[in-house]
Amino acid sequence: MENERIFLSTPTMHGEEKEFIKEAFDTNWIAPLGKNVDEFEKELASYVGVSNAAALASGTSALHLAAILSDIKQDDIVFCSDLTFSATVNPVSYEKGRQVFIDSERETWNMDPKALEKAFEKYPNPKAVIIVNLYGVPAKLDEIRDICKKHNTILIEDAAESLGAKYKGKQTGTFGEFGVFSFNGNKIITTSGGGMLVSEDEKMIKKARFLATQAREPFPYYQHEEIGYNYRMSNVVAGIGRGQLIHLDEHKAKKEEIYNIYKEGLSNLPLTMNPYPECSEPNFWLSCILIDKDCKVKPLDIIQKLGEHNIEARHIWKPMHMQPVFDGYDYIISEKDSVSEDIFERGLCLPSDIKMTLEQQNRVIEIIKECFYV
Ligand SMILES: *Cc1c(COP(=O)(O)O)cnc(C)c1O
C-alpha cells in the first residue's frame, strides 16, 4: 500500500510474550513482582554477561537509581554525554547535582575521551561519568573506562539504545559500575515500558530493588529509614520482556540488514551513515545519515519530504548544551568546534522499523535521492 505509514521504530511482537503473560494471569501473579520478573532479570543478566540485574519501571528510573547509588548529591559535578536524549542526564538534576557536558567524537558520535580528559583537568573530583551508546553504536568504551579508573570515578553506562551491541566482543552495558537498559516502545526490544539496572556489585542491585519498592525495611510494620520510590517492573510487563528477549538477536540482524541497504542505496549521495569502528558490533537500532558539509540539502528538507509521503524520520538528538533548560552549564570540547552541534545540524534518523519491507525501504531511498537531485 503506497500510503501505509512507515515508522522510525515500533514494537515487533512474536507470540511468546503472550504465553508468559498468560502464565502470570493463570497463577494470578499479575502484581507485585513474581516469576516473570525474577526470570527476566536472570535471562537479561545472562544475555549480557553480568552477575546482577534489577527490573524497573523504565530506563529513566534505572538511571535515577544509578545516580542515587553513585551518591550524587547537591552541587556534585557529573560529566555527561552531550549528544543524547535528555533522560540520560536528567537524573543528575533529580539529585541536584550539576552536569558538565562532554562533546562527541566523530568515529562513534559518542563521548570524546580527549574532551573527558580535559574535563578532569578542570574538575578533578566529579562524582560520576554518564555515557551513552547512541543509536546502538558503542562509545570508545575501554578508553573511557580506563580514564574513569585512572581518576577513581564511577562510570554509568546508558545502554538504553544499545542492548545487544558489543565493543571488542563484550556486551554494552557492562563496562561501568552500572549499566542501564530501556524497553520503551521504540527500543530494539520492548515491554511497552520498562528498564533494567545491571551491575557486578550484588549489594548495589539489592539496594536498587529495595529503593524501588518504597525503601521498606524488613520489619513487621512499615518502617522507613530512607526515601524510597515506586520503580519496580510489574510481573505482566516482565512477561513481555521474556518473550521479546528470545528474539533480540533476530531484531539485531534485521536492523543491520536495514542499515546496509541504506548504506548501499544512498552510496552515491553527498552523505555518510552513522559510523562505527571495526572493533565494535552495533545493534543498529536506528540508521542515521550525516549530510556532507557545504551541501545545500538540510536534515529538515529530507524529514519534511519523507513526511509528505507518510514516512517518519527525525532529527538527531539536540545536544544538551544547546537546551534552554541547561543554559549556563559547562560544556567541554577537545576540537576547535563542537562536534555534537555539527552532527545535530547535519544529521537525521531514518525509518528503521524491522517490519519495513524491502519495497518500502527502497521507496524511502528513492525519496531521499530526489531531495538531492532537484
Ligand atoms: C529511551 C532512552 C532512555 C530512557 O528510557 P525510558 O525507558 O524511556 O525511561 C534513556 N536514555 C536513552 C539514550 C534513551 O534512548
Side-chain angles (χ1 to χ4, degrees), residues 1-37:
M1 230 168 74
E2 160 71 16
N3 261 335
E4 201 174 327
R5 186 156 171 81
I6 302 175
F7 291 99
L8 203 73
S9 186
T10 61
T12 303
M13 294 292 137
H14 300 274
E16 288 93 337
E17 298 88 350
K18 273 192 189 156
E19 298 301 313
F20 290 115
I21 293 176
K22 186 173 180 299
E23 195 183 308
F25 274 75
D26 290 348
T27 56
N28 203 34
W29 275 110
I30 304 301
L33 302 169
K35 182 178 161 198
N36 281 336
V37 171

Side-chain angles (χ1 to χ4, degrees), residues 56-63 83-89 131-135 158-162 180-187 192-196 285 317:
L56 300 165
S58 63
T60 306
S61 52
L63 282 158
L83 187 63
T84 188
F85 180 41
S86 64
T88 306
V89 311
I131 54 157
V132 71
N133 302 308
L134 216 59
Y135 303 122
D158 178 355
E161 300 179 359
S162 68
V180 168
F181 299 104
S182 165
F183 313 110
N184 191 4
N186 62 7
K187 298 299 192 309
S192 75
M196 195 80 80
W285 174 54
W317 301 122

Side-chain angles (χ1 to χ4, degrees), residues 269-272 290-298 346:
L269 298 175
L271 57 82
T272 48
L290 189 68
I291 302 166
D292 287 357
K293 271 183 188 143
D294 308 323
C295 181
K296 281 203 290 292
V297 180
K298 299 296 167 215
R346 295 193 287 125

Side-chain angles (χ1 to χ4, degrees), residues 20-79:
F20 290 115
I21 293 176
K22 186 173 180 299
E23 195 183 308
F25 274 75
D26 290 348
T27 56
N28 203 34
W29 275 110
I30 304 301
L33 302 169
K35 182 178 161 198
N36 281 336
V37 171
D38 296 343
E39 294 300 315
F40 188 36
E41 286 178 345
K42 282 188 209 142
E43 288 158 6
L44 185 115
S46 146
Y47 181 93
V48 300
V50 72
S51 312
N52 311 282
L56 300 165
S58 63
T60 306
S61 52
L63 282 158
H64 187 196
L65 292 179
I68 294 169
L69 295 167
S70 303
D71 198 34
I72 294 169
K73 294 213 166 72
Q74 182 142 15
D75 300 330
D76 282 340
I77 297 286
V78 179
F79 298 154

